[in-house]
Amino acid sequence: MLSNPTSQPTTRVEAAMRVYEAGIQALRDAGFDELSKNPDCIDLVHRFETGSRTTAGFQTTLIAKMQEQWIPGELGDYRLADVLADTLRIYPSEAKARRRIAEDLGPRTGFSGAPLDPVYPNTAAAHADGAIGRGHITVIREFFAQVPSYVDAETREQAEAKLAEQARILRPDQLRRAGNRILAYLNPDGDAPEVDRERKRSFTLGKQGTDLMTKGSFCVDPELRAYLEALFAKYAKPGVGNPADTDSTVDTEPADEVAQRDTRSVGQRQHDGLKMVLRDALASGTLGQHRGLPVTVVATMTVKELEDATRQAITGGGSLLPIRDVVRMAAHAHHYLALFDDDGRPIYLGRSKRIAQGDQRLVCYARDKGCTFPACWRPANCCQCHHCREWVAELGLTDVDQLALVCDSHHRLAGVKDTDWHTIVAGPDHKYPGRILWVPPKHIDPTRKPRINHYFHPHEYWDLV
């Protein structure tokens, strides 16, 4: 939000910032109706693009500066990326991406305190000039992720300088083609050492779409590919494990007529085969435990949601499952299904032991659904049970109504000191009784007004309007 303070600026940065904000306001007031010719419009669009790229470079410098002097909890959260996401109201993934860019393009300081050049100095200079955008930076960073480890430092520096020079005049797609030519020169045989293959391996699940489907990406090493090939050889054959055909099995070789009835594509058969193998592995009970519960699927819902088959349950990993899928999954062993009343109020379970038991974690899964710290997005699978009342060996109780799911980073912020965040349970007169409230320290909020996390209860956002 633009500001128009009347006090005198105390720094050159503040004075320049006020001129910048005043200029934006003047443009907003002037409008663009007087621009009737397309050449004038495209010129202005280009100047705006240069300006936005330049301000993005300012942000990169500031983020790098904050990262170097970062104190967990100073600005209310443990990680800088979380502070950026909440302050700028951007995706957490976008905040992490900006922080990583700042690590490569922002100013650095050595152990002796002497300033160091950015990791990619020429790219940083072009970024600061407003000559390149986020797309160019992504291409250059991805280029160096593919450069073989045996390439010497001098050659890397020459490649970075050439790419930064080309980025000033090329589109990102054109720059990628130029980068591929350089990669072909650096690695003409295409042979990658083991360390380079290990560096590239990944398996990434994307966000769930509105249709509850999920796209992702992967780059698997030769060993995992070999496992998948063996798996698909059986489980992705036509007629094997076809959910649309009751005669389709996995125990015997499919009959010819069963295989011929299978109209699934190769990709669909591989999807269904992988699902069967993972389901059997989870149901086997041989995968050990994670945070006090067997490695399995935990789905929570209310009785009303179960009766209304059009609704969805939420898993311990934070994803949504259609009720019909939950009911079908419940037929397999070692999956947990927690049912609560329509208000989502959990039953009471008490323990005199320090560590929360599995059944108590299930109650926390159902009530909290994820980390209870304000605005945190980390699901229940990534959380531990936190005692809202500090546990004392002689007097403390591990009662479920005093437990809260908290992710590892935010658990470090909770405590009993004045500089810590305090946790309390909302009383019966509160708008959200039984929910976990976080009380910020005075340096974050002098009024210490309790805060609540609505992320896993999105219907509550309507109450904030």
Side-chain angles (χ1 to χ4, degrees), residues 65-285:
K65 183 179 181 67
M66 286 190 292
Q67 185 65 36
E68 285 210 328
Q69 57 192 26
W70 182 249
I71 300 175
E74 178 186 15
L75 299 181
D77 217 317
Y78 192 81
R79 292 186 174 94
L80 173 58
D82 290 332
V83 171
L84 292 173
D86 292 341
T87 303
L88 305 179
R89 299 192 308 281
I90 58 178
Y91 283 113
S93 57
E94 169 65 17
K96 292 179 182 178
R98 294 189 188 187
R99 182 185 58 78
R100 288 193 290 267
I101 288 175
E103 290 177 349
D104 289 341
L105 304 187
R108 299 182 298 160
T109 303
F111 289 113
S112 64
L116 299 176
D117 288 335
V119 176
Y120 305 128
N122 298 283
T123 305
H127 184 39
D129 292 343
I132 64 174
R134 177 70 169 272
H136 298 95
I137 296 170
T138 298
V139 169
I140 292 174
R141 295 180 75 240
E142 290 178 351
F143 168 87
F144 281 101
Q146 300 179 70
V147 173
S149 57
Y150 56 74
V151 175
D152 61 85
E154 182 179 357
T155 302
R156 288 171 179 267
E157 292 172 0
Q158 293 175 353
E160 191 268 333
K162 186 64 175 178
L163 283 173
E165 176 187 348
Q166 292 296 309
R168 290 176 178 266
I169 59 176
L170 298 178
R171 301 192 309 260
D173 59 310
Q174 296 170 324
L175 180 65
R176 189 180 299 278
R177 291 177 64 86
N180 290 340
R181 293 294 298 271
I182 297 177
L183 277 174
Y185 169 77
L186 296 178
N187 187 24
D189 298 326
D191 298 329
E194 184 67 25
V195 65
D196 291 327
R197 287 201 294 267
E198 292 179 355
R199 179 162 52 97
K200 292 180 180 179
R201 72 189 190 280
S202 68
F203 196 100
T204 304
L205 281 177
K207 299 293 184 180
Q208 256 188 318
T210 55
D211 59 355
L212 303 189
M213 300 297 284
T214 302
K215 292 183 178 181
S217 62
F218 64 84
C219 183
V220 300
D221 62 15
E223 181 182 359
L224 179 53
R225 181 186 175 89
Y227 295 151
L228 290 174
E229 288 173 342
L231 183 157
F232 293 146
K234 174 180 179 179
Y235 286 89
K237 288 179 62 176
V240 174
N242 185 357
D245 192 340
T246 56
D247 294 333
S248 181
T249 68
V250 297
D251 298 326
T252 60
E253 192 72 14
D256 291 341
E257 60 271 17
V258 175
Q260 291 173 2
R261 289 199 302 264
D262 193 342
T263 60
R264 296 175 297 167
S265 66
V266 174
Q268 290 171 335
R269 295 200 306 269
Q270 291 181 347
H271 169 278
D272 295 343
L274 184 59
K275 181 169 65 174
M276 284 188 291
V277 171
L278 292 176
R279 182 188 64 201
D280 292 345
L282 290 172
S284 69

Side-chain angles (χ1 to χ4, degrees), residues 396-417:
L397 294 175
T398 304
D399 294 341
V400 72
D401 59 355
Q402 290 296 323
L403 293 176
L405 289 183
V406 186
C407 68
D408 294 342
S409 62
H410 290 135
H411 203 190
R412 299 185 183 100
L413 299 180
V416 296
K417 300 178 181 178

Side-chain angles (χ1 to χ4, degrees), residues 16-17 21 31 59 80 83 118 144 170 192 203 208 237 263 284 288 290 320 322 334 339 420 427 432 447 451:
M17 192 66 187
E21 292 176 337
Q59 285 194 3
L80 173 58
V83 171
F144 281 101
L170 298 178
F203 196 100
Q208 256 188 318
K237 288 179 62 176
T263 60
S284 69
H290 173 67
L320 299 177
H334 299 291
L339 292 175
D420 296 330
Y432 306 108
T447 66
R451 305 179 185 183

Side-chain angles (χ1 to χ4, degrees), residues 292-293 336 347 349-351 356-364 400:
L293 288 177
Y336 287 92
I347 61 174
L349 290 172
R351 287 289 184 274
Q357 304 300 302
D359 49 4
Q360 294 175 312
R361 289 191 62 83
L362 287 175
V363 173
C364 291
V400 72

Side-chain angles (χ1 to χ4, degrees), residues 321-332:
L321 271 173
I323 297 300
R324 62 181 181 276
D325 289 350
V326 178
V327 173
R328 184 177 66 252
M329 292 168 63
H332 304 282

Side-chain angles (χ1 to χ4, degrees), residues 82 85-86 89-93 96 206-208 314-320 365 367-380 383 405 407 410 432 435-436 438 451-462 464:
D82 290 332
D86 292 341
R89 299 192 308 281
I90 58 178
Y91 283 113
S93 57
K96 292 179 182 178
K207 299 293 184 180
Q208 256 188 318
I314 186 170
T315 70
S319 62
L320 299 177
Y365 269 47
R367 180 194 62 202
D368 301 334
K369 298 179 173 60
C371 180
T372 55
F373 189 86
C376 185
W377 50 269
R378 294 173 181 86
C383 296
L405 289 183
C407 68
H410 290 135
Y432 306 108
R435 294 278 294 283
I436 307 303
W438 286 76
R451 305 179 185 183
I452 194 170
N453 189 8
H454 300 287
Y455 186 87
F456 295 98
H457 309 267
H459 61 281
E460 295 173 357
Y461 286 122
W462 292 103
L464 307 179

